Amino acid sequence: MLVCTVFAGQAFASDKVITMSTTTSTEASGLLDHLLPEFKADTGITVRVMSKGTGAALRDGMDGNADVVMVHDVERENQFVEDGYGTRRYYVMYNDFIIVGPEEDPAGIGDAADVAEAMRLIAEAGEPFVSRGDDSGTHGREKQLWEESGLEITGSSEPADGAGWYFSIGQGMGVALLFAEEKNGYVLADRGTYLQYKYGRDAEYDLEIVYEGGDMLENPYGVIPVNPEKHPHVKYDLAKEFAEWLVSERGQEVIGSYELLGSQLFIPDAK
């Protein structure tokens, strides 16, 4: 009887596990290390994390490789739901994008009228610019900014004349930040990951925020349970419980309490 009880307990514990595919910034910023233990303490549910670009995270949901996705590309998130892969997009939180670069700002973008002009100034100066190039939410926003810059761009929304200064690396945010530091160049980053690399590690990080602010740099995050009608094997009830916890008063308080050196990295935004 004892053996049966132990096995039953183990089986029940394994059932209380969900897989989340999420953008790298939620992990690289340290948010998940702060958030998920609180969720488990409240619910007994363990969340296994697959951290990757938004595009790849959404593909995990489309393929049924995750029970829930948490990403930051509203247009693609809404399409994901409209196509029947997700049941609902829950507004969770936001932070913002920033342009990080050398403190001396050789392209002079700190005085730009808007972020589109800032991008144009980097290109005109031929200063190194590092693109994640990984189909992430950050990469998607970068492509939108190039489209707004007035520069000639390619069919994939990259600068047409980027030889020698535009580096598309196909990597996550942390690697992009480090590569930009190595090149003493510029990179579009989410504020949370940048602050973690600047102040949350033992290693020094030399680049500074050189441009910030404006509607085009707003960065909202959503969570979407994968639709069991598409993939009957997903743990929809647990995924929904996770999503609803995130947007509850308790979950929003936990998100809002995550700080680094007194700076709040994410702003709760449940609708």
Side-chain angles (χ1 to χ4, degrees):
M1 177 66 99
L2 177 61
V3 172
C4 291
T5 302
V6 170
F7 282 139
Q10 290 174 342
F12 179 75
S14 68
D15 286 342
K16 297 275 282 186
V17 178
I18 59 173
T19 298
M20 175 174 67
S21 197
T22 183
T23 176
T24 59
S25 59
T26 59
E27 183 173 59
S29 65
L31 175 67
L32 295 184
D33 290 337
H34 173 76
L35 185 72
L36 296 183
E38 298 294 328
F39 173 66
K40 184 175 182 179
D42 286 354
T43 65
I45 300 171
T46 297
V47 181
R48 291 177 178 158
V49 175
M50 297 189 293
S51 175
K52 52 190 67 180
T54 284
L58 289 172
R59 284 192 291 275
D60 279 339
M62 294 169 69
D63 295 339
N65 294 328
D67 301 300
V68 63
V69 297
M70 184 159 68
V71 290
H72 61 144
D73 189 322
V74 176
E75 184 175 336
R76 282 193 286 183
E77 292 169 57
N78 288 337
Q79 191 65 52
F80 181 81
V81 174
E82 288 175 16
D83 291 343
Y85 293 107
T87 56
R88 172 186 169 187
R89 179 188 188 272
Y90 294 79
Y91 292 85
V92 176
M93 61 192 181
Y94 68 90
N95 63 8
D96 62 346
F97 293 109
I98 53 179
I99 300 179
V100 174
E103 185 175 11
E104 61 272 21
D105 187 18
I109 72 171
D111 296 325
D114 54 37
V115 67
E117 182 183 1
M119 300 293 277
R120 185 169 64 252
L121 289 171
I122 293 170
E124 290 173 349
E127 292 293 330
F129 182 91
V130 176
S131 170
R132 285 179 56 171
D134 63 349
D135 195 31
S136 62
T138 305
H139 183 215
R141 183 61 55 88
E142 179 212 320
K143 292 193 289 185
Q144 293 175 15
L145 298 180
W146 288 125
E147 291 168 359
E148 293 291 325
S149 71
L151 296 168
E152 181 182 355
I153 58 175
T154 67
S156 55
S157 300
E158 298 178 349
D161 187 21
W165 64 270
Y166 182 81
F167 301 91
S168 182
I169 63 173
Q171 298 289 334
M173 193 72 260
V175 176
L177 282 164
L178 294 175
F179 194 79
E181 182 182 38
E182 180 182 323
K183 292 291 183 182
N184 199 38
Y186 295 88
V187 61
L188 181 71
D190 70 279
R191 187 181 296 270
T193 305
Y194 168 74
L195 290 175
Q196 184 63 232
Y197 270 69
K198 182 71 173 177
Y199 302 112
R201 309 180 309 145
D202 291 335
E204 291 186 5
Y205 188 76
D206 293 334
L207 300 185
E208 303 289 344
I209 299 173
V210 289
Y211 189 90
E212 59 187 322
D215 293 346
M216 283 294 291
L217 293 179
E218 292 181 356
N219 184 26
Y221 290 75
V223 63
I224 309 172
V226 173
N227 192 344
E229 293 183 5
K230 286 279 189 182
H231 299 290
H233 67 276
V234 300
K235 298 177 181 176
Y236 171 70
D237 289 341
L238 297 181
K240 183 182 178 185
E241 186 173 352
F242 175 62
E244 292 184 345
W245 183 89
L246 286 174
V247 300
S248 71
E249 183 176 349
R250 164 70 171 148
Q252 293 282 283
E253 184 275 328
V254 174
I255 291 169
S257 69
Y258 181 53
E259 295 184 345
L260 185 62
L261 296 180
S263 296
Q264 186 176 354
L265 272 63
F266 295 88
I267 309 301
D269 191 35
K271 305 291 186 184

